[in-house]
Amino acid sequence: MSFTIIDSVPARLNRSELAVPGSHPQFFEKAAKGGADIIFLDLEDAVAPDEKEKARKNVIAALNDVDWRGKTLSLRVNGLDTHYMYRDIVDVVEQAGDKLDLIMIPKVGTAADVYALDMLVTQIETAKRFEKRIGFELIIETALGMQNVHAIAGASKRLESLHFGVADYAASTRARTTNIGGANPDYAILTDKDEAGRRETHWGDMWHYALSRMVVAARANGLRPIDGPFGDFSDADAYRAAARRGAALGCEGKWAIHPSQVALANECFTPSAKEVERAKRILAAMEQAKREGRGAVALDGRLIDIASIRQAEVLVKKAESIGGS
Ligand code: GLV
Ligand code: MG
């Protein structure tokens, strides 16, 4: 291990994060009763410019009046480049900040963006004598944000998670796709011809680099990496495939832009009984190896060593925290 110790943020379930537009208060109660680990009330891109003010009022009323059943609540504010953002922060945090767990900041480009909001929120919290400190979740969704992601991830003690905003990221990098988070037949490899002259097309994951880069920045700073939206809410299988790819890379959860995606996210980011059982067997086998003075042993014909203990412990701990939720 390095002499630099990474402190992880407080554990919080973040398998599913449901987006609820602030302009549609009729969805609030349903979201509160649903299975999402985190709900973010959106003032940004799901809300048209003419509705921004009304949405802000709806959100303040909802934070104070709706029974959220102990759910983790977040507020997505508008970007720092808009004139809406300061009022999103000032109005909502002043009037309902004690009900808010997190603020989601979109299109973060530099560490200074985070610093600016930290300053503003700190002043309001201090003035209002709030006891609970609001955490930040940041969306990495621009080329600038992805370039600076490592500095951004260490920018404030308020940070809890980084989110990959694939839709804006595609726009910012001018990626040739309009399918939010989905596959792209143009991002493929054509195999060489076999003896019979046949060739195959193998689709690739065009988001792999971006998501991996963000996962590394998040984990190196003790934050949760979260995968963002998947636009085609009628395609559960494709959502599952995307969520599983994210989980395989180390993400802790994924957005749900439709209530039907909440259960899919919870399913994909909960370790299966089979995975937990194997992790427990690894721990038992390594315990036995320790007693015998060995650092590595074989289990089911595969090598396991001390690093396997860490992997298995992460998995078992995760399953326990979900079981106890
Ligand atoms: C989310 O905000 C995205 O742009 O994907
Ligand atoms: Mg976005």
Side-chain angles (χ1 to χ4, degrees):
M1 282 294 181
S2 166
F3 189 56
T4 299
I5 304 296
I6 299 164
D7 291 324
S8 288
V9 292
R12 203 195 275 288
L13 270 188
N14 202 165
R15 295 166 304 172
S16 51
E17 182 142 349
L18 177 65
V20 182
S23 47
H24 289 75
Q26 70 275 24
F27 295 153
F28 295 167
E29 287 281 352
K30 193 174 168 215
K33 287 185 190 143
D37 288 336
I38 299 187
I39 294 172
F40 79 82
L41 301 171
D42 191 13
L43 297 179
E44 200 219 14
D45 280 356
V47 178
D50 288 351
E51 306 209 309
K52 296 278 187 200
E53 216 163 302
K54 182 81 185 58
R56 203 183 284 135
K57 291 198 172 103
N58 294 339
V59 163
I60 293 168
L63 284 169
N64 286 315
D65 301 337
V66 170
D67 175 6
W68 293 101
R69 295 165 165 77
K71 281 206 184 305
T72 299
L73 292 177
S74 183
L75 169 77
R76 180 162 78 166
V77 295
N78 286 282
L80 281 93
D81 59 328
T82 71
H83 64 276
Y84 305 114
M85 193 225 72
Y86 82 98
R87 282 229 158 273
D88 293 344
I89 297 281
V90 172
D91 288 4
V92 182
V93 179
E94 274 194 352
Q95 295 171 50
D98 54 335
K99 312 286 179 352
L100 211 50
D101 300 292
L102 300 163
I103 291 176
M104 177 183 268
I105 311 171
K107 302 181 182 71
V108 174
T110 67
D113 289 345
V114 180
Y115 186 88
L117 263 89
D118 194 352
M119 181 273 294
L120 189 55
V121 172
T122 300
Q123 289 199 15
I124 303 171
E125 280 179 347
T126 310
K128 300 293 288 182
R129 295 194 168 82
F130 288 150
E131 277 168 20
K132 192 175 67 176
R133 185 171 72 173
I134 299 170
F136 284 174
E137 10 183 45
L138 310 180
I139 318 182
I140 305 300
E141 52 182 345
T142 60
L144 183 65
M146 194 56 80
Q147 173 178 266
N148 294 328
V149 67
H150 294 92
I152 290 170
S156 162
K157 291 245 175 299
R158 289 183 188 272
L159 300 193
E160 286 204 11
S161 53
L162 299 183
H163 299 238
F164 179 47
V166 65
D168 274 302
Y169 185 75
S172 171
T173 54
R174 303 195 192 171
R176 291 271 297 270
T177 175
T178 50
N179 179 9
I180 297 178
N184 183 347
D186 287 338
Y187 197 78
I189 284 179
L190 186 63
T191 62
D192 287 347
K193 290 180 182 158
D194 66 12
E195 287 101 56
R198 284 182 305 243
R199 315 186 79 175
E200 285 174 10
T201 301
H202 292 189
W203 292 26
D205 176 8
M206 67 183 287
W207 312 116
H208 174 80
Y209 164 73
L211 192 58
S212 296
R213 183 174 162 86
M214 191 199 77
V215 169
V216 172
R219 292 298 186 194
N221 288 276
L223 312 179
R224 298 186 295 274
I226 306 296
D227 193 14
F230 188 86
D232 185 353
F233 55 82
S234 62
D235 192 345
D237 287 340
Y239 181 95
R240 275 197 191 91
R244 289 203 182 112
R245 279 199 306 279
L249 285 178
C251 287
E252 287 198 25
K254 185 165 173 62
W255 287 17
I257 48 108
H258 187 271
S260 65
Q261 295 178 334
V262 168
L264 302 175
N266 288 349
E267 168 198 320
C268 294
F269 289 94
T270 302
S272 68
K274 205 167 146 207
E275 284 172 285
V276 177
E277 192 260 337
R278 179 168 160 79
K280 286 185 173 163
R281 286 202 302 124
I282 288 174
L283 292 177
M286 288 307 296
E287 196 52 45
Q288 175 73 16
K290 198 168 130 197
R291 280 197 291 274
E292 293 164 6
R294 287 185 294 154
V297 284
L299 180 71
D300 303 336
R302 290 186 200 165
L303 178 93
I304 55 169
D305 66 8
I306 290 167
S308 314
I309 299 181
R310 288 190 282 274
Q311 292 176 324
E313 279 174 348
V314 166
L315 222 136
V316 171
K317 225 168 127 195
K318 174 102 204 165
E320 281 170 1
S321 72
I322 293 167
S325 68

